[in-house]
Amino acid sequence: MSNIRAVAELAGVSVATVSRALQQPDLVSAKTKAKVLAAVEEVGYKPNLMAVKFRSGKTHNLVVLVPTVANVFFARVISGMQQAAAEKGYSLLLANTQGDQDIEASYAKMVQTSQADGLIQLRAHNPFGETPDDDSMLPMVNACEVLDQQQFPTVMLDNRAAARSMTEHLIKLGHRRIAMVKGPQRSPLTRDRLAGYQDALTAAGIAFDEQLLCPGNFSLQSGHKAAATLLALPQPPTAIFCENDEMAIGVVQRVKQSGLRIPQDVSVAGFDDISFAAYCDPPLTTIAQPAEEFGSTAVNLLIDILQGRLKKAPKVILPFELVLRASTGPAPATVAPSLTGGQDD
């Protein structure tokens, strides 16, 4: 039967090096790792992974808490995580939490009881409950929708600057009645994107109008419903900026059902640049986020914590891009009368 000594002899390295290459591949050079893996394949060595995990005290499993796997943006983030984790020899345990704190706490307990090594949280909540009194860090990274506290490494976008950039784009096109469809009330994303929208209005000398704000929950349906409300106003908006692309696509559908043209009568903009945005009719102007990079960066930070390379909690701010497509255009010379065709939600 093949064994680890045969692998070491064939690869020309020590047994300890073989063990490191299989258990902690990031601690050996790419050349050594390649030699070891080739030798493993050639001799047919099958390590006892359960025994390896028992001896090392590590599971090489990472928990990922996702508010909803139905969200297209989160799906891309998870894809980035999966690739980064696989490259480092880790597996993901995915939890579709629906924002339920009890579910999140149960997965955090898996880390506390050594059933998983660490945790990545994609919403603004600490599932461990308390944070250490000293300078030590819990094995957690917060990404996308981040906590205000600094105890955890975070991966985020400057949402305020991004929303300001989109609103400025609409203002430059001549729009003065610019509506915003917000995300969930308690989300930091909603707070920051709303602040950026207001920053741009203030800088341009445009009065903030509460009537032009509509609540949403990042779903297609909430965008559709918000558009119906906005188009029924005595003075409807000439542009609608949504805090994510799914709501913007819902807005596009409702605007078209109302007999209005996009962008000739109403411009529509989103946020995220999900894959459907480029294939919407018309293609959607949006803010592009590097979703896969969110995932890979979060995984790499967590592994750095687990392997003792991270002593402080960094805040990593990823870049955004204003993507201009056909759904936004110059403001109409006059505001079209309110048209509310179709059925209310």
Side-chain angles (χ1 to χ4, degrees), residues 185-240:
Q185 185 64 31
R186 297 172 63 181
S187 169
L189 301 181
T190 299
R191 175 197 66 200
D192 292 346
R193 293 173 189 177
L194 175 59
Y197 160 82
Q198 292 175 314
D199 288 345
L201 294 181
T202 300
I206 300 173
F208 172 68
D209 186 346
E210 190 78 33
Q211 284 190 315
L212 294 177
L213 292 184
C214 262
N217 61 11
F218 291 150
S219 70
L220 292 161
Q221 294 83 355
S222 67
H224 191 272
K225 184 176 181 179
T229 300
L230 292 168
L231 295 178
L233 292 173
Q235 286 186 286
T238 62
I240 303 175

Side-chain angles (χ1 to χ4, degrees), residues 159-175:
N159 286 281
R160 185 168 184 163
R164 175 170 181 154
S165 177
M166 179 60 79
T167 309
E168 288 173 342
H169 162 66
L170 295 171
I171 291 170
K172 288 175 183 176
L173 289 172
H175 296 280

